[in-house]
Amino acid sequence: MTTITSLEGNTEVVSTRRTESQDVSDIISLFSPSTEVIFGRIDVVYLLEKSNLALTLCNKKNEVLAHAVFLDYPNWNITDQSDWESFLHKNYINDKCTPLNTLFMHLFVAKEEYAAECSQEIVRRAFITVPELQFILLFVPANENLGPDMGNIFEEMMTAPGSVADADFTLLVCPRHRHHPQLYVRRARLEDYDALMPIWTRQSETLKETYSEYFLADLIENQDEENQAAVCEDRDTAVGFMSLCSQVNISLFQECFDLGPFHGLCKPHPEDILKMPQKPSIQEDEDKSNQTNEETESISSQNFEHIHDQDVAVQKDGATTVSDTELLLDDVRDFKASAIPLLEAEEKGAFHPVYRGASNAFCIRLFCIDEKHETRSLDFLHYAFKLFPDKDFCVILVPHHVPEFHLIQSFVRVVPLFTSKLGHELYVFHRAGLLKSFNVRKATTNDLLGVETLIKTLSLNESILNDLKIFILARRDPDGTPVQAFIAEVLDQTVGISVIRDQMDIEYIQSHYSIEDFIHFNYHQQEEHGHLYHFVLNPIFHHYSKYFLKEILRLAHKSCLYYPIYPQYVEGKFQNPCAHSLTSALHYMVPVRPRRQIVYPLEELGINAPSEQVSKDQLSYALNHINRKLVLESKASINTRIVVVGASDVGISFLETLIFCPHLKFNNLTLISIHGLPGKDLPGSRHRRFLINSHCFNDEDYAQMSLCSWVNVVVGKMTGINRTAKYVVVSKEKKVPYDYLVLCMGQKYQVLAPTGADISKLPTNREVISKWPQRYTGKVPSNHFTLNDDQDCLEAMHWLKENIVNSEGNIIVYGNTIDIYTTVETLLSLGIDGSRIHLVQPPLSSNVTCLNNNEIESAVQEALSKAGVSVYYDSILAQWNESDDPDLITCAAFTTNTKPFKLQCSAFFSFAYQTVDYENFKAINDACLVFDGRLVIDTEFHTNDVSIRAAGPLTKYSRRYYVDEWTHSNFSSKEIGFELAMSMLNLFDPTSKPFSKPPEGSDRLIPMYKECKIKGGVLPGGYNYLHISKPEIPIRLDLKLALCGHGMEIITGEARHGNYFRMHVNKYSMVDSITCFSTEPFPVSNYICLYGQHERLLNDLFYRWNEGQITDLYSYFREPWSMAIYHDRFIDLKKELRQILISEQVPGLPPAAEPPSEDPDEESPCPPPLREPVLRYLRRHRAHLPMYAPVGAAGAGSHPTAGEAAAPVPSGGAPRFPRGAAA
């Protein structure tokens, strides 16, 4: 906050922030006649899209008082943006301006009465925001007077002798030292104590309590060669303090962190052991930290040349970075193996280098600086390295919970080893990182040798070299795609390389990813989109990554770069055409959310179908993006250790929400899962049909998330929790430390113990029901299967193919959940004869069956009978074989309500007992977390430990809420995971706004989530099944229909004919249930969009149903009118229409039963306030919705007016967006 004064003496308290799109109209209102004279004709939106830095000055009322835009090339198109540096040096007397330290002002506007002080403040904030910025340049027409507002901050730059610069323009310069100079750093003195104490107290209350108030004075007073203290001062006042020590516990760091890229923070020594003393064979799925240690040369080696006059060191010959190393420095996991078993890697005995040399690092023990000067924190390091001329590295340990501060943004975060028990993050900075001669240029033939040396240890070195040679020789790919390559160099030594291509598939990206969350697409030309293929940078200069990217954009004349990450099953081997080199640039890029796609009925649409670029199926990938606006915007790094247990839908949704936060980067996300991350198998694998599908995530979703790039994976089962020491025990051996623990294991099918009843005595269920169900504690037979995830299903599939498919023997499927039906159908699809399959169902625990639809149940029973499958009801497992602990189940006996029976058995699938896993329960119970049948939580997902959250079917609400019937099992797991993540983001997000105080008493109400629950799969008979329902307590369908005010049921087709479609609309005319049962596949994602829609939005569904116009709901929802409802932005249109209805109070429409007007001359049924948003929606998304008539074409139901897009012309009539339906 700063106070400025107007010409009339009025004062305003102002703050500076990044400019947002909603500021545009306010900015334009500040334009004056002189604005165009000085800056030319300006399109504000276009300028903001291409800007590197845009700042807005506003007062307490958020009124815009001033605005400035800065780009990395000259205004007025004085010269080509890629060549301005040489142009400047040739024509002006200034050789200090470089792309690293210079920006050009392209626009400044302000309220006239505050213009003078606003210009001072906004320039000062620009220098504060970009610490590397030294000069702001501005070209203005010659002889133009800037006026007192800007004339006081700029001075003219003199032209050089023989200058050929345009005489019509004058170059002005604004140097840093006038507004926010670098800080002077010196040795600390005791008299600095009084100035430093308030700063230290504000920032370190905990330290003050721990070390007493005289700790700072002791550090200053007790300085020697090993312990130094420095202060930075502004106007002779100390504003920052740094305590330094040359004694570093190197051995501890080597035990806890992967220091291979930094030569273990030691001096090179002839006896160093850097590689495994074995033959160099590296398995493809080995832990990547192994690869780094084996493949990477140290950056602190004999290849470095000390440059004494600059007191820095730079590598001369050796390579300092590999792709794997770069990823390790960013804590981004290897793309080629998503669920890397880190535990297993440790158990195999990972190689650790041995360093014999002396310590090569000093450490920062204590650091504090006044908030106003924190962006100048790096000024300390020049002085610090002079104090320790024999040390190349500066290190600092930071507790996990401490928010990232500005100093460590220039350091490299070292990846901790899995065995690390140190509760801190280690950051490293090399003295060469202080060099400012970082230069980026286009590659030439002479760079081949330097690049080859740089990347020789990379897994993708051949691909990078080949692409570089393609650029040098042809500038194009064999398919004609333009290629560009760029070299980063420091003191004429190659320290980085990047290769980009033109992004030729930009229509696909626009239609399949939410790229417009970051750019206004229409302001970017096709050729301005680039595809980042390779990005390699020496870790010493890691903090220059964003400037490397900025220069690539400028030199290549690009405005956007895209970086895809393909799923594991695509890459296979590193030298795959789809494999891109791994890149540390991911830290500065934002992951882009995928968009839900419409499943188009292409045959019905014919020529009105969307283009192939929109509708085509191609390899799914996770997309990362950066543009000019983002290169100078830093993400907030969150080092808090968040451990998620369970790769359930809730857990995956939680992780997805965190990683797609564009302004946050979570460095310590860990997933503990028995089988690692899901989505590792090829799409459409048959084994997935064993279990019912929740449709929360599919193969494409997993590919487009690329969780393996952001999440550490520990393969194993949680067997203990130590709440005091805050770690999780995995598989009874390994310890995974946490700051926050999130339990999402859900409930799983468990091995059910036989009751042990002696069937020779002809017992009945009544006699054994008290002993059932119980968990089986003995050795599980090898042919007994409980399927809980894809890996279980895959293993069962392999076993069946090897042992059952081509042999004789019965298969028993036991249980009464819907998974028994999908499993039976999968067995039949494997070619197993139905007569060999025995479906045994235990007694129901409630009167609600798994299908809860008599007609569908009858069709399934008929299909089972037709296939020859035997079905048994109300049967309780009594015995396995004759012995107590068999290796194989050869027969199984069951009791019933009458007499028992025995079946021969070659494979036994159990779905009869679903509960919390016993080992998970024991870990929870032993940790003294409240467990009452399930893990007890409150409405904010808290357990009785503030550091442990839980969600999903594992949990239940505390009894104080009096809602035992409602648990997370009743709601959408994806929504639960999202809400869990949102509740925790408030702990980490520095931009989050505090919630308003909830109404009194609301803390005793549980939240009611709104998204639908979904289950789908293939049932016996090859029927495709889908059931979409609102969150509810299960109740029999016939009883539900008998309730008063249950709404309306619309059914077409019959289950036994395989064309059954049931839709239930509640009393508020909203769709709250959909059931499909068909022999033909159907577009599930489309039908999910119908849930929660008003029937009027569904083309007047009630009216057409009552008039007998709808005979088949499948074909009805394939008609062209429905495509707009399936669009992922339709929800935005509904919100907009709702706001219009609320603000304008549009009168209601006639009742729904009244038919729409057939007279084309009558006024359109959609009033003008609602019509325009609808037409704008159709125009904006025309690429997805070409089936709607374009502007000026005749539509059904009304004549389009000028600027209006008419409705489509389907057989069922045009869609209508009436007044009442948008609510």
Side-chain angles (χ1 to χ4, degrees):
M1 295 278 185
T2 305
T3 302
I4 61 173
T5 307
S6 70
L7 297 175
E8 291 81 15
N10 300 322
T11 61
E12 286 273 12
V13 177
V14 298
S15 59
T16 308
R17 57 171 171 79
R18 295 291 183 115
T19 304
E20 300 169 352
S21 57
Q22 54 262 39
D23 296 327
V24 170
S25 58
D26 294 327
I27 293 168
I28 294 174
S29 69
L30 297 176
F31 276 40
S32 66
S34 62
T35 303
E36 186 172 335
V37 174
I38 296 173
F39 296 103
R41 299 187 65 182
I42 296 292
D43 180 339
V44 176
V45 179
Y46 176 84
L47 195 61
L48 289 177
E49 279 297 297
K50 301 304 175 69
S51 67
N52 298 108
L53 179 66
L55 299 175
T56 293
L57 212 65
C58 52
N59 60 17
K60 286 186 175 180
K61 298 178 181 178
N62 205 28
E63 296 171 340
V64 175
L65 300 183
H67 167 75
V69 179
F70 305 91
L71 277 75
D72 56 1
Y73 58 86
N75 56 327
W76 285 105
N77 293 322
I78 296 296
T79 185
D80 185 84
Q81 68 178 35
S82 63
D83 196 40
W84 67 260
E85 188 178 10
S86 60
F87 171 84
L88 223 62
H89 294 167
K90 289 177 184 175
N91 295 290
Y92 295 91
I93 304 176
N94 186 322
D95 58 355
K96 296 181 180 179
C97 294
T98 67
L100 179 64
N101 66 17
T102 304
L103 288 176
F104 293 83
M105 180 180 281
H106 280 236
L107 177 65
F108 173 79
V109 290
K111 280 193 173 181
E112 188 175 353
E113 62 268 30
Y114 294 103
E117 294 207 15
C118 281
S119 61
Q120 296 271 356
E121 176 63 16
I122 213 160
V123 165
R124 187 178 74 88
R125 293 305 306 184
F127 284 118
I128 291 174
T129 305
V130 188
E132 292 79 8
L133 183 62
Q134 298 294 328
F135 304 99
I136 296 175
L137 303 184
L138 171 64
F139 280 97
V140 297
N143 304 320
E144 281 296 333
N145 182 14
L146 285 180
D149 54 342
M150 292 175 58
N152 294 332
I153 63 174
F154 284 97
E155 61 187 37
E156 185 175 345
M157 186 181 289
M158 302 302 296
T159 56
S163 170
V164 295
D166 192 339
D168 294 333
F169 290 92
T170 300
L171 178 58
L172 306 179
V173 59
C174 172
R176 165 181 282 278
H177 65 81
R178 290 187 175 184
H179 301 276
H180 193 69
Q182 294 184 7
L183 300 176
Y184 172 65
V185 183
R186 58 168 173 80
R187 183 184 176 92
R189 302 188 289 261
L190 271 176
E191 50 264 38
D192 297 320
Y193 177 80
D194 290 338
L196 293 172
M197 197 60 193
I199 301 172
W200 186 60
T201 302
R202 280 197 305 271
Q203 299 185 1
S204 307
E205 285 290 348
T206 305
L207 282 177
K208 183 181 176 183
E209 294 172 5
T210 306
Y211 294 105
S212 85
E213 58 183 309
Y214 301 108
F215 177 61
L216 201 61
D218 292 341
L219 289 175
I220 296 173
E221 188 174 16
N222 299 318
Q223 296 185 66
D224 52 33
E225 288 187 3
E226 294 181 354
N227 301 281
Q228 301 277 356
V231 297
C232 61
E233 61 179 31
D234 181 25
R235 299 173 187 172
D236 300 326
T237 301
V239 295
F241 175 80
M242 182 177 283
S243 173
L244 303 159
C245 180
S246 62
Q247 295 299 311
V248 180
N249 191 343
I250 298 296
S251 59
L252 175 64
F253 291 167
Q254 291 173 355
E255 289 176 11
C256 298
F257 298 94
D258 179 16
L259 292 171
F262 309 100
H263 200 82
L265 299 179
C266 293
K267 298 281 187 182
H269 191 278
E271 297 180 12
D272 288 338
I273 303 174
L274 304 180
K275 296 183 179 180
M276 291 185 70
Q278 299 175 0
K279 58 182 181 181
S281 61
I282 303 175
Q283 296 181 1
E284 195 168 40
D285 58 351
E286 193 172 359
D287 189 318
K288 68 179 174 309
S289 56
N290 287 4
Q291 296 179 9
T292 303
N293 289 330
E294 294 170 10
E295 299 177 0
T296 311
E297 292 191 10
S298 164
I299 63 174
S300 177
S301 66
Q302 63 271 25
N303 292 326
F304 277 77
E305 177 183 0
H306 286 272
I307 303 174
H308 299 288
D309 57 342
Q310 299 191 42
D311 194 31
V312 293
V314 182
Q315 180 182 11
K316 186 173 182 180
D317 300 315
T320 67
T321 179
V322 299
S323 292
D324 293 341
T325 303
E326 295 254 324
L327 277 167
L328 283 166
L329 295 177
D330 264 340
D331 197 21
V332 180
R333 296 306 172 191
D334 195 342
F335 305 147
K336 72 183 178 64
S338 59
I340 296 176
L342 302 181
L343 282 173
E344 294 176 13
E346 292 293 336
E347 290 166 0
K348 291 175 184 176
F351 169 74
H352 296 286
V354 178
Y355 305 99
R356 311 282 190 188
S359 170
N360 195 24
F362 65 92
C363 69
I364 299 173
R365 291 201 298 180
L366 183 67
F367 172 74
C368 62
I369 192 168
D370 184 69
E371 187 178 353
K372 295 178 181 178
H373 299 87
E374 65 175 347
T375 60
R376 300 305 316 165
S377 301
L378 210 61
D379 294 343
F380 271 107
L381 293 188
H382 294 271
Y383 179 82
F385 278 105
K386 288 180 181 178
L387 292 177
F388 304 103
D390 61 327
K391 308 288 188 182
D392 288 332
F393 294 100
C394 174
V395 301
I396 182 170
L397 273 177
V398 181
H400 289 292
H401 65 273
V402 173
E404 185 182 58
F405 47 95
H406 204 279
L407 176 67
I408 61 175
Q409 289 180 1
S410 298
F411 282 58
V412 177
R413 175 181 173 270
V414 184
V415 173
L417 296 174
F418 184 79
T419 53
S420 173
K421 297 177 183 177
L422 194 63
H424 291 71
E425 294 286 341
L426 178 65
Y427 287 84
V428 174
F429 189 92
H430 192 279
R431 66 169 59 242
L434 295 173
L435 285 172
K436 300 299 181 184
S437 57
F438 188 85
N439 180 51
V440 181
R441 56 171 175 80
K442 285 199 172 183
T444 66
T445 306
N446 297 331
D447 295 315
L448 278 172
L449 182 59
V451 170
E452 189 171 358
T453 304
L454 175 72
I455 65 173
K456 63 184 179 182
T457 53
L458 281 176
S459 300
L460 272 177
N461 53 9
E462 293 180 21
S463 175
I464 297 173
L465 279 176
N466 289 339
D467 288 338
L468 177 59
K469 291 173 182 176
I470 286 173
F471 167 73
I472 292 172
L473 296 175
R475 298 294 198 267
R476 290 181 180 273
D477 266 345
D479 63 0
T481 306
V483 179
Q484 299 187 65
F486 300 93
I487 297 295
E489 57 183 8
V490 174
L491 301 181
D492 298 325
Q493 297 176 32
T494 300
V495 297
I497 179 172
S498 180
V499 178
I500 70 169
R501 290 171 166 81
D502 281 7
Q503 180 56 260
M504 306 304 292
D505 214 7
I506 198 62
E507 293 87 357
Y508 179 86
I509 287 178
Q510 183 183 10
S511 62
H512 284 72
Y513 296 88
S514 298
I515 193 64
E516 290 181 273
D517 289 348
F518 304 101
I519 62 173
H520 287 285
F521 217 87
N522 294 338
Y523 290 91
H524 299 262
Q525 301 298 317
Q526 170 82 32
E527 61 274 10
E528 289 186 298
H529 298 277
H531 183 129
L532 182 63
Y533 262 70
H534 305 292
F535 186 99
V536 179
L537 184 63
N538 188 310
I540 291 176
F541 305 103
H542 172 77
H543 56 293
Y544 283 140
S545 294
K546 59 183 179 181
Y547 294 99
F548 194 1
L549 290 167
K550 181 172 78 71
E551 283 299 277
I552 291 170
L553 290 169
R554 180 179 70 87
L555 297 173
H557 294 80
K558 303 294 183 189
S559 59
C560 305
L561 288 177
Y562 304 90
Y563 184 84
I565 302 172
Y566 289 90
Q568 170 201 355
Y569 54 77
V570 173
E571 293 192 32
K573 296 189 179 297
F574 273 121
Q575 306 293 350
N576 184 289
C578 292
H580 294 51
S581 66
L582 313 182
T583 167
S584 64
L586 277 176
H587 178 81
Y588 301 100
M589 305 183 87
V590 291
V592 186
R593 278 190 176 273
R595 295 178 61 179
R596 188 187 67 245
Q597 296 300 302
I598 302 172
V599 181
Y600 294 98
L602 297 178
E603 291 185 7
E604 286 89 339
L605 291 175
I607 61 172
N608 291 324
S611 68
E612 187 182 349
Q613 290 293 332
V614 174
S615 61
K616 69 178 179 181
D617 290 327
Q618 73 172 48
L619 200 58
S620 297
Y621 54 81
L623 184 67
N624 297 274
H625 165 77
I626 193 165
N627 58 54
R628 288 180 175 272
K629 293 183 293 184
L630 296 175
V631 288
L632 294 183
E633 195 163 330
S634 298
K635 289 184 181 181
S637 287
I638 310 298
N639 288 323
T640 305
R641 295 168 297 184
I642 302 174
V643 175
V644 180
V645 183
S648 62
D649 289 337
V650 174
I652 298 299
S653 178
F654 172 81
L655 292 171
E656 176 196 35
T657 306
L658 295 188
I659 66 172
F660 277 112
C661 291
H663 59 291
L664 301 177
K665 179 180 182 293
F666 290 87
N667 289 324
N668 284 314
L669 291 177
T670 300
L671 174 69
I672 299 174
S673 172
I674 297 174
H675 294 131
L677 284 170
K680 296 174 291 185
D681 305 312
L682 290 171
S685 300
R686 186 189 289 183
H687 66 268
R688 296 182 181 173
R689 293 172 57 178
F690 273 110
L691 298 176
I692 204 71
N693 190 344
S694 68
H695 289 284
C696 288
F697 301 100
N698 56 29
D699 297 316
E700 191 174 3
D701 295 328
Y702 292 126
Q704 292 172 336
M705 276 189 273
S706 186
L707 286 175
C708 55
S709 304
W710 312 103
V711 179
N712 307 312
V713 180
V714 178
V715 176
K717 180 186 286 188
M718 180 186 76
T719 54
I721 303 172
N722 189 317
R723 289 170 53 192
T724 304
K726 300 186 81 168
Y727 63 79
V728 175
V729 180
V730 179
S731 301
K732 299 181 180 180
E733 294 180 347
K734 302 299 180 180
K735 298 177 182 179
V736 181
Y738 68 85
D739 296 309
Y740 288 98
L741 179 62
V742 180
L743 303 178
C744 304
M745 297 87 73
Q747 295 189 339
K748 299 182 182 300
Y749 290 116
Q750 305 295 314
V751 180
L752 182 67
T755 61
D758 185 357
I759 63 170
S760 64
K761 297 181 181 180
L762 304 179
T764 63
N765 286 348
R766 179 180 298 179
E767 299 167 36
V768 299
I769 195 70
S770 61
K771 302 178 182 179
W772 184 89
Q774 291 184 8
R775 184 179 67 90
Y776 181 68
T777 57
K779 180 183 177 182
V780 179
S782 60
N783 60 342
H784 182 287
F785 300 95
T786 51
L787 308 182
N788 288 297
D789 57 25
D790 288 348
Q791 188 65 29
D792 291 340
C793 296
L794 180 63
E795 292 171 3
M797 177 75 79
H798 288 326
W799 191 91
L800 288 169
K801 288 182 177 179
E802 292 175 4
N803 300 282
I804 296 294
V805 174
N806 296 319
S807 63
E808 298 296 327
N810 292 338
I811 301 173
I812 297 175
V813 180
Y814 185 52
N816 50 26
T817 65
I818 194 170
D819 292 313
I820 62 174
Y821 294 124
T822 52
T823 296
V824 168
E825 170 58 24
T826 305
L827 295 174
L828 292 171
S829 69
L830 288 174
I832 299 173
D833 190 83
S835 61
R836 297 171 56 195
I837 301 173
H838 297 265
L839 180 58
V840 184
Q841 298 186 21
L844 288 171
S845 57
S846 73
N847 61 355
V848 182
T849 61
C850 59
L851 293 172
N852 197 17
N853 186 305
N854 291 334
E855 188 171 349
I856 292 178
E857 286 173 2
S858 298
V860 170
Q861 294 302 325
E862 185 178 328
L864 289 171
S865 176
K866 188 175 181 180
V869 177
S870 301
V871 182
Y872 308 83
Y873 300 99
D874 296 332
S875 304
I876 295 178
L877 179 64
Q879 293 179 357
W880 287 342
N881 297 355
E882 304 300 331
S883 61
D884 295 331
D885 187 20
D887 292 330
L888 283 175
I889 300 175
T890 56
C891 67
F894 300 85
T895 59
T896 67
N897 292 327
T898 55
K899 60 179 181 179
F901 64 93
K902 181 186 291 188
L903 296 173
Q904 184 274 332
C905 178
S906 296
F908 191 99
F909 288 81
S910 178
F911 299 97
Y913 187 40
Q914 191 172 30
T915 187
V916 177
D917 179 82
Y918 175 75
E919 288 182 283
N920 290 159
F921 157 73
K922 193 171 187 310
I924 291 169
N925 193 60
D926 290 349
C928 296
L929 296 175
V930 179
F931 194 93
D932 181 15
R934 302 188 192 190
L935 180 57
V936 176
I937 60 169
D938 65 10
T939 56
E940 295 296 322
F941 306 98
H942 298 124
T943 64
N944 57 304
D945 186 320
V946 294
S947 300
I948 301 178
R949 308 289 203 277
L954 166 72
T955 65
K956 63 171 291 186
Y957 288 114
S958 171
R959 290 181 183 245
R960 71 174 183 267
Y961 297 110
Y962 298 99
V963 285
D964 289 348
E965 310 87 5
W966 288 97
T967 69
H968 286 176
S969 301
N970 300 105
F971 303 106
S972 164
S973 294
K974 190 172 184 178
E975 185 180 14
I976 293 289
F978 171 79
E979 294 295 341
L980 171 61
M982 295 305 295
S983 70
M984 292 193 67
L985 276 176
N986 297 317
L987 302 171
F988 313 117
D989 190 351
T991 65
S992 64
K993 297 178 182 178
F995 285 115
S996 58
K997 189 176 180 179
E1000 187 176 351
S1002 61
D1003 59 332
R1004 294 186 177 275
L1005 300 175
I1006 66 167
M1008 295 304 292
Y1009 304 104
K1010 298 179 180 178
E1011 288 188 15
C1012 57
K1013 278 187 67 69
I1014 309 165
K1015 55 184 179 182
V1018 183
L1019 303 186
Y1023 293 111
N1024 295 281
Y1025 172 76
L1026 174 69
H1027 182 64
I1028 302 169
S1029 64
K1030 67 179 181 180
E1032 61 184 353
I1033 297 171
I1035 183 173
R1036 264 175 46 191
L1037 181 60
D1038 55 345
L1039 297 179
K1040 188 188 301 183
L1041 295 177
L1043 294 174
C1044 180
H1046 75 279
M1048 182 175 180
E1049 189 179 42
I1050 299 176
I1051 299 176
T1052 63
E1054 296 181 31
R1056 59 193 180 88
H1057 293 156
N1059 60 351
Y1060 178 86
F1061 196 122
R1062 176 185 178 273
M1063 176 175 282
H1064 182 260
V1065 182
N1066 65 20
K1067 61 182 179 181
Y1068 303 109
S1069 300
M1070 311 292 283
V1071 176
D1072 72 355
S1073 175
I1074 298 171
T1075 305
C1076 300
F1077 190 78
S1078 172
T1079 53
E1080 299 295 326
F1082 44 77
V1084 174
S1085 59
N1086 285 3
Y1087 293 168
I1088 294 173
C1089 298
L1090 300 175
Y1091 173 80
Q1093 303 292 359
H1094 194 283
E1095 62 87 14
R1096 300 287 304 270
L1097 288 176
L1098 305 182
N1099 210 4
D1100 272 330
L1101 178 66
F1102 279 3
Y1103 169 75
R1104 299 183 189 281
W1105 172 253
N1106 292 329
E1107 290 296 308
Q1109 296 179 12
I1110 302 174
T1111 57
D1112 179 14
L1113 285 173
Y1114 289 105
S1115 59
Y1116 182 72
F1117 290 117
R1118 282 199 303 269
E1119 292 177 1
W1121 64 264
S1122 63
M1123 298 300 115
I1125 296 172
Y1126 305 145
H1127 195 275
D1128 64 327
R1129 300 293 188 258
F1130 184 68
I1131 188 173
D1132 298 329
L1133 173 65
K1134 288 175 62 178
K1135 290 177 180 177
E1136 185 178 2
L1137 295 180
R1138 181 181 177 86
Q1139 288 301 316
I1140 293 172
L1141 289 171
I1142 293 172
S1143 62
E1144 300 204 6
Q1145 295 296 310
V1146 179
L1149 284 176
E1154 212 171 296
S1157 172
E1158 298 181 1
D1159 185 354
D1161 294 323
E1162 282 189 24
E1163 184 182 355
S1164 168
C1166 187
L1170 300 183
R1171 184 188 307 129
E1172 184 52 39
V1174 174
L1175 299 178
R1176 186 167 59 247
Y1177 165 80
L1178 295 174
R1179 287 193 296 267
R1180 184 179 302 160
H1181 304 295
R1182 177 145 185 79
H1184 285 94
L1185 304 171
M1187 64 289 303
Y1188 289 80
V1191 174
S1198 66
H1199 294 296
T1201 58
E1204 179 178 317
V1209 194
S1211 60
R1216 305 174 65 203
F1217 300 93
R1219 301 178 182 93

